[in-house]
Amino acid sequence: MVNKNVLRKLSNQELEGYLKEGNRFVPEAVQAAFEILEERGRVFSEQEKETVQQLIQHKKEEEEAKRIEEVEVWKDHITEDPQAVKLYSRMTILVSSVFFSPIPGSILLFLNLIKLKKYLASFLTLAFGFLFFIFQKYVLLSHFDFGTTSRYSPEIGVIAVGALGLLVISVLATPKKLPYRAESYILPVILCAGTAVLMYFYSPEWFSFYPLARAINIFRQ
């Protein structure tokens, strides 16, 4: 958000810098500087006006291209190319982490990174999954009341942090826009099923803040 009043404190010479090619200012700031200069009596020729508008349009296109690029980095690039490496999708990792704790998600991402020969990142991922799970129980549960039923309950935020942590590791450690084939769901299902069994037997001690564990407890009752 560009504050026009702040720009009004600048001199004409400083504002002229906003209209030069290669400047680092956002398009809204360039437009505001142009309008302030006009208010102060600066007369622009038609060619100068066209040059400024082209500069603003170019900056907008650059911003849009950057935004699209950032979105692309976070997306899965699944392909049918038989030569592409097979990996577990980010969505699979995210879903398993949200519903079944970061442990199965970290195992799946660990296997992905091992396949990509990112060995240090793979072991850090595994450590993150298990340590964050312990962190949830022994630190967060002692500071928050997880008994609330509000949709803004702290446990939802805690779970999201663990899942998003794995997603960030995946984005940072995986080559950008890497095309890959989706790996089979067999192992994710086995890991999640095993976690569900643990939830059934150890829910009060380890999984009480997971919605699925609560559902299991209701079923047991």
Side-chain angles (χ1 to χ4, degrees), residues 68-146:
I68 292 174
E69 176 68 19
E70 290 173 348
V71 170
E72 287 293 313
V73 168
W74 290 85
K75 285 174 58 178
D76 273 331
H77 295 276
I78 300 176
T79 179
E80 298 298 327
D81 182 359
Q83 302 300 318
V85 64
K86 296 181 74 173
L87 301 172
Y88 296 105
S89 73
R90 288 174 183 167
M91 182 57 67
T92 300
I93 293 170
L94 195 63
V95 169
S96 62
S97 300
V98 168
F99 290 98
F100 298 93
S101 86
I103 293 179
S106 67
I107 292 173
L108 296 176
L109 182 53
F110 165 81
L111 295 174
N112 279 357
L113 296 176
I114 286 290
K115 191 172 290 187
L116 295 172
K117 299 182 180 180
K118 302 284 185 177
Y119 301 115
L120 177 59
S122 66
F123 286 102
L124 288 176
T125 297
L126 207 57
F128 173 85
F130 282 86
L131 290 176
F132 191 86
F133 181 72
I134 295 172
F135 178 77
Q136 286 177 320
K137 173 177 169 57
Y138 289 106
V139 179
L140 297 184
L141 289 181
S142 64
H143 289 82
F144 295 99
D145 177 14
F146 288 92

Side-chain angles (χ1 to χ4, degrees), residues 10-86:
L10 302 179
S11 67
N12 285 7
Q13 184 177 358
E14 289 173 316
L15 290 173
E16 290 281 357
Y18 281 67
L19 310 184
K20 292 181 179 179
E21 282 287 346
N23 71 69
R24 58 184 177 81
F25 304 110
V26 298
E28 293 79 11
V30 176
Q31 181 67 45
F34 175 74
E35 292 172 357
I36 293 171
L37 284 169
E38 281 196 315
E39 290 172 3
R40 292 178 180 179
R42 166 75 155 86
V43 178
F44 291 91
S45 67
E46 290 303 318
Q47 184 177 354
E48 286 177 321
K49 289 180 181 180
E50 183 178 348
T51 299
V52 171
Q53 292 308 313
Q54 288 176 349
L55 174 61
I56 293 171
Q57 182 61 31
H58 179 65
K59 283 181 169 292
K60 288 181 178 179
E61 290 172 355
E62 283 185 333
E63 283 191 346
E64 180 63 15
K66 184 178 180 181
R67 186 192 66 79
I68 292 174
E69 176 68 19
E70 290 173 348
V71 170
E72 287 293 313
V73 168
W74 290 85
K75 285 174 58 178
D76 273 331
H77 295 276
I78 300 176
T79 179
E80 298 298 327
D81 182 359
Q83 302 300 318
V85 64
K86 296 181 74 173

